[in-house]
Amino acid sequence: MNYSNVDLHCHSVVSDGTLTPEALALRAKSNGVDLWSLTDHDEIGGQSRAITAAQSVGLRYLTGTEISVSFAGKTVHIVGLGFDHTQPSMVEGLLATRGGRELRARDMSAQLERVGIRGAYEGALKYVGNPELISRTHFARFLVETGVCSDTSEVFRKYLTDGKPGFVEHKWASLGDAVRWITQAKGIAVIAHPARYSFSPNEEYALITEFIAHGGKAIEVVTGSHTDAEASRYAEVAREFNLLASRGSDFHSPEESRLDLGSLPALPSDLTPVWSVLDAHIH
Ligand code: AMP
Ligand code: MN
Ligand code: MN
Ligand code: MN
């Protein structure tokens, strides 16, 4: 089956997006997407709703998630696609990965209090759709609401990234565990937005080769987080390491996201799309 507009990366209220899985399915469909995946952070609680919603609007669907991983002192995101979302090791692994978020959020709030920002934990909670998934994005929305910053990217720059007052170091899943949960559930593991990590060439080489050694098969080439030059660079990486290529907007919110669902350039035509090996997994 050939698809002309594939979007395999976005977020709903089940993680840090602002739309429901149902609203996302409708939006994807009306934007011309013909194969879609909802990839909430460390969560698959929205998958049944996404499958049903996609079917009701006539949209083909692959299950998805985006797992937070600690690698070489940084956080890396591994997308899983086309897995069995009822597989116990996947369900339990993600539950454990989400587990530390509550305490981390309280620590973030305590640190923000020290620079004069009060009530950030309670403030962030107002934006949380899933109590197990409080994220930096929810804090960012609160800091915009209270006028501390004018938009969420300013909040990240000034408060929520490594070395800034509200940043709390956190240990996420290991790379091997994340890839294994996905592959044991018969899905494909994908390195998300590789240009975002600012790794040294050696660290990036280690990430890619270890990912492949654990059974990882794909990399995002065209994503809302890449410039055209970065997409070209990771197309080259896909060729060099013989990785399947993925495409996804990373859409979170009509107000915040630069790129809407389905509004990405095509993958370079010589690459093998990740969905071409997942035909039997499409709902
Ligand atoms: P967390 O999983 O709690 O660490 O939050 C990570 C999320 O924060 C990402 O998935 C993005 O949605 C958001 N994020 C990270 N960096 C930025 C940034 N510079 N600007 C806006 N949002 C960001
Ligand atoms: Mn996010
Ligand atoms: Mn990500
Ligand atoms: Mn994402």
Side-chain angles (χ1 to χ4, degrees):
M1 174 87 186
N2 270 326
Y3 296 96
S4 59
N5 191 345
V6 178
D7 195 323
L8 303 179
H9 191 149
C10 72
H11 300 271
S12 76
V13 290
V14 173
S15 63
D16 61 348
T18 61
L19 301 183
T20 60
E22 292 77 16
L24 287 166
L26 262 176
R27 191 177 185 98
K29 179 71 182 180
S30 61
N31 287 0
V33 172
D34 50 12
L35 177 62
W36 172 55
S37 181
L38 170 65
T39 54
D40 279 310
H41 297 286
D42 308 324
E43 253 293 9
I44 47 180
Q47 294 304 305
S48 301
R49 284 170 69 183
I51 293 167
T52 306
Q55 275 164 355
S56 77
V57 298
L59 188 56
R60 307 308 297 275
Y61 186 79
L62 280 168
T63 55
T65 187
E66 181 176 19
I67 308 179
S68 311
V69 160
S70 295
F71 185 86
K74 292 202 172 107
T75 301
V76 166
H77 286 169
I78 301 296
V79 162
L81 295 172
F83 51 83
D84 168 6
H85 63 290
T86 64
Q87 225 267 344
S89 55
M90 179 76 149
V91 172
E92 283 153 27
L94 293 182
L95 183 67
T97 306
R98 292 194 294 277
R101 281 184 178 269
E102 157 88 23
L103 199 60
R104 170 192 189 235
R106 290 188 185 276
D107 289 347
M108 284 170 63
S109 187
Q111 288 186 197
L112 288 169
E113 184 127 7
R114 269 180 235 141
V115 294
I117 297 164
R118 295 167 162 259
Y121 177 76
E122 292 73 19
L125 268 189
K126 287 189 297 179
Y127 294 93
V128 169
N130 169 4
E132 286 182 36
L133 216 114
I134 181 161
S135 87
R136 284 184 293 163
T137 313
H138 303 113
F139 280 84
R141 290 183 185 137
F142 171 68
L143 267 65
V144 172
E145 173 204 306
T146 51
V148 174
C149 292
S150 57
D151 58 37
T152 52
S153 63
E154 186 189 345
V155 183
F156 276 90
R157 203 167 57 245
K158 292 189 175 162
Y159 292 97
L160 300 182
T161 41
D162 202 353
K164 300 298 160 65
F167 184 79
V168 171
E169 189 81 47
H170 192 74
K171 192 163 184 301
W172 301 106
S174 73
L175 180 64
D177 279 348
V179 173
R180 272 187 296 280
W181 298 332
I182 296 164
T183 51
Q184 281 169 4
K186 307 267 185 287
I188 299 243
V190 187
I191 298 176
H193 42 64
R196 281 255 303 267
Y197 307 124
S198 53
F199 278 139
S200 70
N202 278 346
E203 287 169 333
E204 186 180 86
Y205 183 82
L207 170 67
I208 296 169
T209 52
E210 288 181 36
F211 171 76
I212 292 170
H214 288 302
K217 296 255 184 285
I219 192 163
E220 282 184 349
V221 171
V222 174
T223 124
S225 319
H226 284 177
T227 62
D228 291 351
E230 287 165 344
S232 303
R233 171 163 150 58
Y234 288 96
E236 202 45 49
V237 168
R239 292 178 193 109
E240 182 184 343
F241 291 91
N242 221 356
L243 289 164
L244 301 163
S246 193
R247 175 178 190 260
S249 57
D250 209 353
F251 179 77
H252 283 70
S253 159
E255 285 77 37
E256 294 163 14
S257 296
R258 190 175 56 83
L259 210 75
D260 206 339
L261 282 159
S263 59
L264 297 160
L267 283 178
S269 59
D270 65 306
L271 299 181
T272 310
V274 63
W275 55 92
S276 70
V277 302
L278 285 167
D279 237 352
H281 302 229
I282 293 173
H283 291 267

